[in-house]
Amino acid sequence: MCGIIGILGKAPVTPLLVEALKRLEYRGYDSAGVATLVNGHIERRRAEGKLVNLEARVAREPLPGIIGIGHTRWATHGKPSERNAHPIATDRVAIVHNGIIENFQELKDELVAEGRKFESDTDTEVVAQLLTSYLELQMSPEEAMGKAMGRLRGAFALVALFSGRHDILMGARRGSSLAVGYGEGEMYIGTDALALAPFTSRVSYLEDNDWVVLKADGCSVYQGTQKVERPIKKSGLSGDLMGKGNHQHFMLKEIHEQPAVIGDTLHSYLDPATRSVRLPSMPLDWTKVSRVTMTACGTAFYACMVAKYWFEKLARLPVEIEVASEFRYREPPLPEGGVCIAVSQSGETVDTLEALRYAQSQKQTLLSVVNVPESAIARLSNVVLMTRAGPEIGVASTKAFTTQLVVLLATAIGAGRARGTLSRQEEERLALAMIELPARINETLNMEEDYRRIAENTLAGARDVLYLGRGLSFPVALEGALKLKELSYIHAEGYAGGEMKHGPIALIDDAVPVVVVAPTDPIFDKIASNFEQVRARGGRLVLLSDARGVARLGAKAEMSIALPDVDPVVSPILYTVAVQLLAYYTALAKGTDIDQPRNLAKSVTVE
Ligand code: F6R
């Protein structure tokens, strides 16, 4: 989703703005732009498409100026075009904006009635026009921003540059993230600490409804007319541009990082010496928890699906899982003594954040599994369970998902121990299975050529692909289908194996590959029957199993892979790596944009 940067500097800022935008590319975008003050006037350079287009534009028409703002736009209102690219400007103010101004039509009607002319199709332009109307009434930028905040509805982060004012930059946030960076006689403002990392490690995070005035020597933050303090924290992020190492794509790099980041995550949640789980202290007693509600979006929701099996089986707890965008509006009653767990890589996904807020209103204890410690979801939670995945740049989630699974499994084991539903021996067995995971994943990564072969020979030429799984492998089938469709644009669906004969089996013919996720777990025989049902109808089967499963079914499949043997409880983590690789190599064969698939955004801060 949109990325924002603003710099109040001492030297020409355009190259720095573009450098910061490169660090925000991972969020997904379809146009970009920068604006500076040149002799007090707002000057812009904008371009549709990738940042290289903006760079070419700036090379042709250089943009001087020591104060400026920049933006990568993921279109919401108005198609991706230069005209709708940010900064959106009048002669008085230029705006970069992330989020949606929900009452933009009402504001636009008012502003048009005053005789103001709009030149873009964006909701953002109402902010620029509204501020301009206040400035024309002789308000100061501070007065104008304070008043505008009272008029804007929706979730947004924005930064404003004012003509004739080399001395200030202003920002505001409601919902979407915004951070301030402190330099030496220079100030920065941006979407996240990652964007600010090349310039400074001293960062403060704005809260909802904050607006901020940046000057060369510091900043003042306000809530309404009240001045407030936001602590300066040290960000540990490196200023180096995130590299792909020896890999062709960030996604492949991140797939390969999984043994290491799972190891790091395990380090936080397991004691290898005693083979026991260690969780942070929590303001709750698992024996008294009436129900667990888990909520998330997309891939993170599939993590909740897997965790439901774990919490039910290991801790004998009733679990509801909820797609956040539905949950927040359905507003179901939640029982007293309940726990709500939100799962989010970014910690900024607006639907998940609002779902958690709803759970808060229902007096649930709020846990979150996040990858970004200062994110909005982390800050709302009573307990934060960090994944140690490191920055995930590929838009499609990989290492964030598998580390979410590790954290959720450790939490389910901890809950089971506390509730007396899991014996010490069982805990040791599961801890050992988790400790062995990085090595088993490494072995899977060493079989990369097998995945490439299946991708090139069976999947890349297909129009539709089905994924089947049962039990813990059902969410893996859903995740495999999601990865394939988002990366390769091939239509793919995941089904619970037992559901096939209730409809989807009508799709089976010799043009539809069916990927069967089938570790030899206690319900292997059941998925084996579903495998046979597809085979009997001439389906093209791809089998993902272990040596025993492949010995039993492999000869009947068009292609099969024997993954390393693991305890069935941890199998979703290993088998996820297999479906990631299938999707990656299929997309590679098709030549799609793997790290930034079309239409997708990394951090989904709009509804
Ligand atoms: C798919 C993917 C998305 C995210 C979803 C939630 O590969 O990455 O489905 O999982 O947008 O994002 P977070 O985890 O940031 O809340």
Side-chain angles (χ1 to χ4, degrees):
M1 236 115 277
C2 308
I4 287 178
I5 180 71
I7 303 178
L8 198 161
K10 293 192 280 206
V13 286
T14 299
L16 305 180
L17 292 170
V18 173
E19 185 187 343
L21 292 181
K22 283 187 183 157
R23 297 172 66 88
L24 290 165
E25 269 195 300
Y26 76 96
R27 297 170 66 85
Y29 69 105
D30 35 46
S31 60
V34 288
T36 62
L37 289 186
V38 182
N39 301 323
H41 297 293
I42 294 167
E43 288 270 349
R44 290 181 286 173
R45 302 288 181 269
R46 298 177 294 166
E48 194 181 325
K50 296 288 179 199
L51 273 177
V52 285
N53 300 346
L54 179 65
E55 285 184 290
R57 185 74 195 270
V58 169
R60 280 199 310 274
E61 299 168 58
L63 187 63
I66 59 166
I67 180 169
I69 56 181
H71 191 259
T72 46
R73 173 174 186 251
W74 188 83
T76 59
H77 293 68
K79 65 182 173 128
S81 62
E82 183 175 332
R83 176 168 165 267
N84 290 330
H86 299 205
I88 296 287
T90 66
D91 59 339
R92 304 289 299 262
V93 64
I95 300 286
V96 287
H97 163 220
N98 174 16
I100 291 180
I101 308 297
E102 285 174 356
N103 58 337
F104 87 97
Q105 194 58 54
E106 173 195 324
L107 293 172
K108 186 169 180 177
D109 292 346
E110 269 178 37
L111 291 157
V112 168
E114 280 174 21
R116 296 193 176 277
K117 298 246 174 320
F118 281 68
E119 59 170 42
S120 77
D121 311 313
T122 62
D123 54 336
T124 308
E125 193 169 352
V126 296
V127 185
Q129 296 280 4
L130 189 64
L131 287 171
T132 302
S133 73
Y134 295 151
L135 293 169
E136 286 176 3
L137 292 172
Q138 308 306 324
M139 286 184 202
S140 67
E142 289 88 340
E143 287 165 335
M145 182 62 88
K147 194 163 162 67
M149 280 295 276
R151 294 291 324 269
L152 303 177
R153 285 208 309 271
F156 53 80
L158 42 95
V159 173
L161 172 74
F162 297 89
S163 64
R165 295 295 304 265
H166 284 92
D167 56 330
I168 59 166
L169 266 185
M170 293 184 63
R173 80 154 273 185
R174 184 177 297 155
S176 307
S177 65
L178 203 56
V180 174
Y182 296 77
E184 297 301 326
E186 296 181 305
M187 290 294 287
Y188 310 91
I189 185 163
T191 298
D192 55 26
L194 202 59
L196 304 180
F199 315 122
T200 179
S201 58
R202 294 170 63 229
V203 172
S204 63
Y205 298 89
L206 297 183
E207 302 279 349
D208 260 358
N209 293 314
D210 281 356
W211 59 276
V212 60
V213 186
L214 267 61
K215 297 197 168 151
D217 56 355
C219 72
S220 307
V221 185
Y222 299 88
Q223 282 259 327
T225 52
Q226 200 74 32
K227 205 162 170 200
V228 290
E229 293 299 323
R230 300 293 172 226
I232 301 178
K233 302 191 173 174
K234 190 128 183 80
S235 133
L237 292 168
S238 149
D240 299 339
L241 196 55
M242 218 66 71
K244 294 177 195 154
N246 294 328
H247 300 286
Q248 200 177 339
H249 294 97
F250 281 110
M251 182 181 177
L252 191 61
K253 171 173 174 260
E254 287 160 6
I255 289 174
H256 278 263
E257 280 170 359
Q258 288 177 113
V261 295
I262 285 176
D264 291 347
T265 306
L266 285 172
H267 195 70
S268 305
Y269 293 90
L270 274 189
D271 180 347
T274 58
R275 290 190 190 159
S276 55
V277 157
R278 53 175 176 220
L279 297 177
S281 78
M282 299 191 190
L284 62 90
D285 176 351
W286 284 107
T287 62
K288 299 211 167 68
V289 170
S290 52
R291 191 217 277 174
V292 175
T293 305
M294 303 187 68
T295 189
C297 302
T299 286
F301 176 71
Y302 298 149
C304 300
M305 278 184 84
V306 176
K308 176 178 166 70
Y309 287 81
W310 285 332
F311 275 93
E312 287 175 350
K313 195 173 161 59
L314 307 175
R316 304 302 297 151
L317 265 167
V319 180
E320 294 289 333
I321 50 172
E322 301 271 1
V323 167
S325 53
E326 290 298 316
F327 177 59
R328 59 179 287 202
Y329 290 112
R330 218 178 66 244
E331 302 189 342
L334 299 178
E336 209 177 304
V339 167
C340 179
I341 307 181
V343 181
S344 173
Q345 187 282 127
S346 61
E348 298 292 344
T349 302
V350 71
D351 282 322
T352 310
L353 176 63
E354 292 306 322
L356 197 61
R357 283 215 174 101
Y358 172 71
Q360 184 182 42
S361 76
Q362 298 288 295
K363 303 198 169 28
Q364 306 293 288
T365 305
L366 309 183
L367 268 58
S368 62
V369 177
V370 294
N371 197 35
V372 182
E374 293 297 339
S375 58
I377 290 174
R379 282 185 282 146
L380 183 65
S381 308
N382 302 116
V383 180
V384 181
L385 299 165
M386 286 295 301
T387 49
R388 308 276 172 209
E392 190 179 64
I393 304 298
V395 164
S397 189
T398 53
K399 59 178 181 166
F401 177 65
T402 47
T403 52
Q404 284 162 358
L405 291 180
V406 168
V407 172
L408 289 165
L409 177 53
T411 311
I413 293 172
R417 181 176 62 201
R419 289 168 64 80
T421 53
L422 193 73
S423 68
R424 178 74 194 113
Q425 262 171 326
E426 275 286 279
E427 180 174 352
E428 278 187 32
R429 183 179 65 79
L430 293 173
L432 183 62
M434 291 169 88
I435 291 165
E436 287 176 351
L437 263 174
R440 299 293 90 79
I441 293 175
N442 251 330
E443 290 165 22
T444 308
L445 293 170
N446 287 339
M447 296 153 57
E448 224 163 335
E449 281 313 305
D450 296 338
Y451 295 95
R452 187 200 284 271
R453 213 166 18 89
I454 296 178
E456 288 172 359
N457 297 338
T458 308
L459 302 183
R463 203 189 59 182
D464 307 286
V465 178
L466 300 184
Y467 285 71
L468 302 185
R470 295 186 78 128
L472 283 164
S473 299
F474 169 39
V476 178
L478 292 168
E479 171 63 0
L482 178 64
K483 284 282 103 78
L484 190 74
K485 66 184 119 181
E486 57 184 350
L487 295 179
S488 71
Y489 316 145
I490 293 172
H491 171 244
E493 298 298 337
Y495 288 103
E499 275 293 289
M500 274 299 282
K501 53 192 167 297
H502 300 290
I505 204 160
L507 296 172
I508 303 295
D509 63 20
D510 60 6
V512 180
V514 181
V515 180
V516 183
V517 184
T520 52
D521 58 14
I523 50 171
F524 176 77
D525 287 345
K526 306 293 171 199
I527 192 77
S529 305
N530 305 137
F531 178 99
E532 295 291 357
Q533 289 154 9
V534 173
R535 182 162 178 263
R537 284 153 188 87
R540 300 174 61 192
L541 285 150
V542 175
L543 176 68
L544 301 179
S545 188
D546 43 39
R548 274 171 297 149
V550 170
R552 195 162 139 199
L553 298 175
K556 301 174 189 172
E558 178 172 308
M559 304 282 234
S560 58
I561 292 196
L563 280 91
D565 243 332
V566 288
D567 188 299
V569 173
V570 301
S571 65
I573 303 172
L574 183 75
Y575 281 69
T576 292
V577 178
V579 297
Q580 290 168 352
L581 287 169
L582 284 182
Y584 175 80
Y585 281 111
T586 306
L588 193 68
K590 294 201 72 175
T592 51
D593 187 348
I594 290 179
D595 283 333
Q596 288 163 24
R598 69 182 178 205
N599 304 338
L600 293 184
K602 183 73 184 158
S603 182
V604 184
T605 48
V606 297
E607 288 189 49

